[in-house]
Amino acid sequence: MGDRIILHSDFNNFYASVECLFNPILRGKPVAVAGDVQERHGIVLAKNDLAKQHGVSTGDPLWLARQKCPEIVFTPPHFDRYLRCAKTARDIYAQYTDQVESYGLDECWMDVTGSTRLFGGGRQIADEIRGRIKSELGITASIGVSFNKVFAKLGSDMKKPDATTVIDREHFKQVVWPLPASDLLFVGRATAARLARLGVHTIGQLAQTSQNTLKSILGKNGLMLWSFANGHDTSPVSRQGGRLLIKSVGNGTTAPRDLISDQDIRITLYILCESVAERLRENHFVAGTLQLGIRDSSLFSCVRQAPLPYRTASAQELFQTAYGLCRRHHRAGVPIRSLHVRACNLSIQDSVQLSLLPEQVAREKRDRLEEAVDGIRRRYGHFTVQRAVMLADPQLAKLDPRKDHAAHPEPFRKQ
C-alpha cells in the first residue's frame, strides 16, 4: 500500500486579506486588523505582508505598531466575514474529499488519497484548489502536500503567499531536517528553548537525538516530537460531517474599564456565563466542571476550577460557581482587568429524567426559562431580554457575547 496524500491549506494573512477584499481602499497599504482602543482591546490581531515588513507583529499594542510603521492602517475585525470565507473554502475542499479536518478558522487538512484517480496527483489537486480559492474567494492560500499531516502543515508554511510545496518520503530529510526545530508542529517557544539548551536547533538534530534524552526532558511530548521529526506521524484526517470532539466551551473578555465593585464583577460574570450556557444548550451539552480565569490590573493571572453541583447547562448554576471561585481566589481590593469562564467535562444530554423533588422541579423550570430567553434573543437580538443587574452599568452590559463564543476541540494528536 502506498503513502497517503495529505494536503494542508493555510490562507495567507487571512483576516487582513479578507478586510482588503471587502475594502479596496486598503489594498497596497500596510494593514492591521485591530481591536477597539476604547474597549481596551487595542492590540494587533492580524496584519498583511506590508505591515510585517515593517516589523509589526500580532499582539503588538497599536501605539507600538504605529511606531514601527507610521503609515499603517488599522481596521476593526469582522468575524462574520471570516466565518463565511472559511465555510466557502470548506465547501470547495469537500468537492475533492470527505476527509477534511479544520485546524483553526483558516487552516484545513485534507486526505485526498482516494481522490487521485478523479483529480490527479497531490500537487495537481493542491494547485487546482489554490486557483479556486483565488477566483471564488478573492484571497490566496498556500498548500503543503505530504505523506502525513505534520509535514503537510510544514509545507504550507514554507512558501508564502499562494504556493504549493511538496514534501515526499524520499526527500523529506533534505527538505525538512535543515529547518529550525521551532518550525515543527507543537514546538512552541518554551519547548524550543529547552531543546536549544540540549544543543538541538534543527528538526534534523531533533530527529537524531536519543528518545530517552527527549523523554527525560519533555516527557511523552519528547517522544511525539521525535516521531514527527522522523516522519512517523500516522494520525488520520477526520471525516467531514463527523461530530467535532469538543472539550470545553468558553468565553472571556477584557472589560472596557477595571472591575472594582462586586456589582461590576457580577455583571460581567453573568454575561459570560449566559453566553457559555447558551452554546452548551445549542449543542445539547451539559458540563460537570467550571473553570474561571482572572487577570487583575497588575497583570497577575490565575485560573481556578471547581465541580458544578450537578451536570448542567444552566447559566445560573455556572454563575454561582464562577462567582464563588472569584470571591475565594481574587485578591481583595485589586481591580480586575479581564475574566474568562469555561465549561469543561462535557457530556451529551439526550434526555432528562423526571423528578418530583421540589429543588429539581425548580431547576427544570429555570432551565426552560433560559431556553425561552435563548429563542427570544435568536429572533429579536441579544439585548431584547436582559437581567435587571445589567441596568446598573450600561457600559459593562453592552458586551454582546454571541460574537465571542469559543469552542475548544480535541487536538488531533494522540494523548
Side-chain angles (χ1 to χ4, degrees):
M1 185 174 179
D3 281 331
R4 296 182 298 163
I5 302 176
I6 310 295
L7 275 57
H8 182 269
S9 177
D10 185 3
F11 294 135
N12 304 131
N13 308 317
F14 182 44
Y15 289 5
S17 295
V18 172
E19 295 301 334
C20 291
L21 175 68
F22 280 84
N23 187 359
I25 295 175
L26 300 176
R27 297 174 190 173
K29 300 178 181 178
V31 174
V33 180
D36 187 341
V37 177
Q38 300 301 318
E39 298 296 326
R40 301 204 306 178
H41 302 301
I43 63 170
V44 172
L45 305 176
K47 67 283 179 192
N48 65 2
D49 282 327
L50 289 174
K52 287 181 186 177
Q53 290 170 14
H54 287 82
V56 177
S57 301
T58 300
D60 279 352
L62 302 194
W63 64 265
L64 179 59
R66 191 172 294 284
Q67 190 177 82
K68 293 178 177 179
C69 180
E71 302 83 20
I72 196 166
V73 179
F74 297 121
T75 182
H78 297 88
F79 291 103
D80 56 332
R81 296 173 180 174
Y82 312 149
L83 288 167
R84 275 203 312 275
C85 282
K87 182 182 183 302
T88 302
R90 285 195 294 273
D91 290 342
I92 292 174
Y93 304 150
Q95 296 175 36
Y96 296 87
T97 176
D98 64 345
Q99 290 179 263
V100 181
E101 180 181 345
S102 296
Y103 189 67
L105 194 60
D106 58 339
E107 302 181 44
C108 274
W109 278 290
M110 294 160 270
D111 188 333
V112 297
T113 309
S115 307
T116 54
R117 291 186 179 181
L118 290 173
F119 303 108
R123 180 186 288 276
Q124 183 176 341
I125 295 174
D127 287 342
E128 186 172 322
I129 289 174
R130 283 196 303 107
R132 291 189 60 183
I133 288 174
K134 184 184 293 186
S135 63
E136 296 177 33
L137 275 70
I139 59 178
T140 62
S142 292
I143 299 181
V145 183
S146 192
F147 56 94
N148 64 47
K149 291 169 68 176
V150 172
F151 287 171
K153 175 167 173 52
L154 194 62
S156 69
D157 290 333
M158 289 180 67
K159 294 180 184 177
K160 292 180 180 291
D162 195 21
T164 297
T165 301
V166 178
I167 302 175
D168 59 33
R169 187 181 294 276
E170 184 179 353
H171 303 101
F172 84 85
K173 292 181 180 179
Q174 295 95 306
V175 177
V176 172
W177 279 14
L179 299 175
S182 57
D183 285 358
L184 194 64
L185 189 64
F186 298 130
V187 178
R189 291 182 180 178
T191 300
R194 297 175 75 176
L195 290 173
R197 288 195 289 271
L198 281 176
V200 175
H201 302 282
T202 67
I203 296 176
Q205 290 171 333
L206 173 60
Q208 295 171 318
T209 301
S210 161
Q211 293 184 65
N212 290 333
T213 300
L214 292 172
K215 185 177 181 180
S216 67
I217 300 298
L218 302 173
K220 65 179 182 180
N221 284 339
L223 298 179
M224 178 189 70
L225 296 177
W226 180 91
S227 179
F228 286 176
N230 282 283
H232 297 161
D233 170 43
T234 59
S235 54
V237 176
S238 64
R239 291 186 179 277
Q240 190 177 55
R243 187 174 182 88
L244 184 65
L245 297 176
I246 296 177
K247 296 180 68 175
S248 64
V249 173
N251 201 341
T253 186
T254 297
R257 61 170 175 80
D258 286 345
L259 307 178
I260 299 172
S261 68
D262 186 69
Q263 183 169 261
D264 293 344
I265 296 171
R266 290 171 62 87
I267 289 173
T268 306
L269 283 178
Y270 262 125
I271 292 172
L272 297 177
C273 290
E274 283 188 343
S275 76
V276 171
E278 185 175 357
R279 175 58 62 87
L280 289 173
R281 290 189 291 269
E282 282 182 358
N283 290 276
H284 308 290
F285 286 130
V286 288
T289 304
L290 184 129
Q291 187 179 93
L292 177 70
I294 305 170
R295 191 182 193 198
D296 63 30
S297 58
S298 69
L299 303 186
F300 170 80
S301 299
C302 72
V303 178
R304 299 291 183 268
Q305 68 180 35
L308 291 160
Y310 59 96
R311 303 192 71 81
T312 182
S314 163
Q316 186 62 34
E317 295 296 342
L318 298 181
F319 169 80
Q320 294 292 355
T321 303
Y323 183 62
L325 284 170
C326 192
R327 291 287 297 270
R328 288 196 299 273
H329 298 289
H330 171 55
R331 297 184 295 173
V334 181
I336 293 176
R337 181 177 177 84
S338 62
L339 289 169
H340 190 284
V341 172
R342 180 174 296 170
C344 310
N345 188 17
L346 306 185
S347 61
I348 301 293
Q349 182 172 5
D350 295 319
S351 60
V352 178
Q353 183 175 348
L354 298 178
S355 172
L356 298 178
L357 296 175
E359 61 270 22
Q360 181 61 28
V361 172
R363 288 170 182 167
E364 291 170 3
K365 288 178 64 176
R366 186 171 61 236
D367 290 347
R368 289 196 297 272
L369 176 61
E370 291 191 12
E371 290 172 2
V373 171
D374 290 348
I376 294 171
R377 287 175 168 172
R378 279 195 294 271
R379 185 169 184 179
Y380 298 107
H382 173 75
F383 296 103
T384 306
V385 181
Q386 294 285 287
R387 294 179 182 268
V389 71
M390 304 301 169
L391 300 176
D393 194 319
Q395 183 187 25
L396 288 178
K398 71 179 182 180
L399 170 67
D400 184 354
R402 287 294 304 176
K403 296 179 181 178
D404 296 311
H405 278 307
H408 305 275
E410 294 274 8
F412 86 91
R413 59 176 171 168
K414 299 176 182 177
Q415 299 297 324

